[in-house]
Amino acid sequence: MASLSAVTPVGVLHVVATPIGNLGDISARAVEVLKTCSVLACEDTRSARHLLDPIGASPRMIAYHEHNEAEAANGIADLVAAGESVAIISEAGTPAISDPGFRVVRECRKRGLRVSPVPGACAAVTALSASGLPSDGFLYLGFLQPKSSARVRAFQQYQDFEYTLIFYESTHRIEKFLDDLLEVMGPDRVVCVARELTKLYETIFTGRLVDVIAQIKTRSTKGEFVVLIAKKDFTL
């Protein structure tokens, strides 16, 4: 029989959701994982300190972002295979949801390694819960291609979809996004546009597309946006 000291420790990859704005939204379990993991994979080690310092966590950090994701995924999986407790976070929200994370989770799954989700904030679901749009089914499409022609094709493809559509959009393209949406789906389509969720300047507008656009034009368009589109015949 092998002695206890000879037993290889069982590694784990924790996929940790973090607040999308308000730091008070971090879960007790996420705090515990971040304080006890041996390695933290994050998009930006400097900005991660804004999350870690208030909770007293100081794991060894390694960079894991869209530019090194393919290569770093193997290295992180190697750490898990060696028995390390590794946590992965994104800049905000849930890793792998329009953020890095998918490749390392896939690599760990391919190797039969343990992956443990630590649930929490996700901007898409947060916006849906407060939108007033149907939530019995939805399709999350994340960020569309930046060109107007690609957006128009996507809107045409999904304009008759039977459930709520959810998109992310940046501060630089939100107005063009809404203009293209108006062109394809018309002024009466019911939408919700949420900006800076859980932050100081949070705004959530729900109504006819033409009315929501009018409201958006009177406010700042700085920040991150979630746009939800109700099915064709939905009315408030």
Side-chain angles (χ1 to χ4, degrees), residues 9 18 29 33 59 77 80 94 101 150 163 171 193 199 206 208-209 211 215 219-220:
T18 57
R29 182 172 170 223
V33 168
V80 176
T94 301
Y163 297 109
T171 183
V193 177
K199 299 178 183 177
T206 296
R208 296 168 60 241
L209 176 57
D211 297 328
Q215 290 177 299
R219 303 293 185 97
S220 170

Side-chain angles (χ1 to χ4, degrees), residues 139 141 158-159 161 163-167 185 227-230:
L139 176 63
L141 292 164
Y158 292 106
Q159 63 181 326
F161 190 69
Y163 297 109
T164 298
L165 301 169
I166 305 179
F167 301 90
M185 298 196 185
V227 181
L228 302 94
I229 304 168

Side-chain angles (χ1 to χ4, degrees), residues 4-212:
L4 290 177
S5 60
V7 175
T8 301
V10 178
V12 57
L13 177 72
H14 297 283
V15 184
V16 183
T18 57
I20 57 177
N22 191 319
L23 291 179
D25 292 336
I26 193 167
S27 72
R29 182 172 170 223
V31 169
E32 181 64 20
V33 168
L34 294 175
K35 292 175 73 172
T36 59
C37 67
S38 53
V39 179
L40 175 65
C42 53
E43 289 188 73
D44 188 322
T45 56
R46 293 167 299 179
S47 63
R49 293 253 54 102
H50 296 297
L51 175 69
L52 298 176
D53 288 346
I55 64 174
S58 55
R60 176 166 70 91
M61 289 190 285
I62 58 176
Y64 178 79
H65 46 71
E66 62 178 338
H67 303 298
N68 76 344
E69 191 174 1
E71 179 182 356
N74 285 301
I76 294 170
D78 287 343
L79 291 172
V80 176
E84 298 276 10
S85 173
V86 182
I88 180 170
I89 62 172
S90 60
E91 283 290 283
T94 301
I97 310 301
S98 290
D99 273 324
F102 158 71
R103 286 179 174 82
V104 68
V105 171
R106 178 182 62 181
E107 184 63 27
C108 286
R109 289 294 182 194
K110 283 169 60 178
R111 300 190 194 187
L113 301 172
R114 182 184 171 201
V115 178
S116 178
V118 182
C122 172
V125 175
T126 300
L128 179 61
S129 71
S131 68
L133 273 58
S135 56
D136 55 328
F138 64 90
L139 176 63
Y140 169 73
L141 292 164
F143 288 97
L144 294 178
Q145 294 296 315
K147 292 186 177 180
S148 178
S149 58
R151 280 196 300 272
V152 167
R153 285 196 299 271
F155 294 152
Q156 290 171 339
Q157 179 180 356
Y158 292 106
Q159 63 181 326
D160 295 324
F161 190 69
E162 60 181 322
Y163 297 109
T164 298
L165 301 169
I166 305 179
F167 301 90
Y168 287 165
E169 192 50 275
S170 71
T171 183
H172 306 293
R173 294 194 298 266
I174 185 61
E175 292 189 51
K176 292 180 180 179
F177 179 104
L178 293 173
D179 287 342
D180 289 338
L181 183 60
L182 180 65
E183 176 186 333
V184 174
M185 298 196 185
D188 295 324
R189 193 66 172 253
V190 176
V191 302
C192 173
V193 177
R195 179 182 75 95
E196 294 288 87
L197 287 168
T198 79
K199 299 178 183 177
L200 181 61
Y201 297 106
E202 171 186 276
T203 55
I204 303 173
F205 297 121
T206 296
R208 296 168 60 241
L209 176 57
V210 66
D211 297 328
V212 170

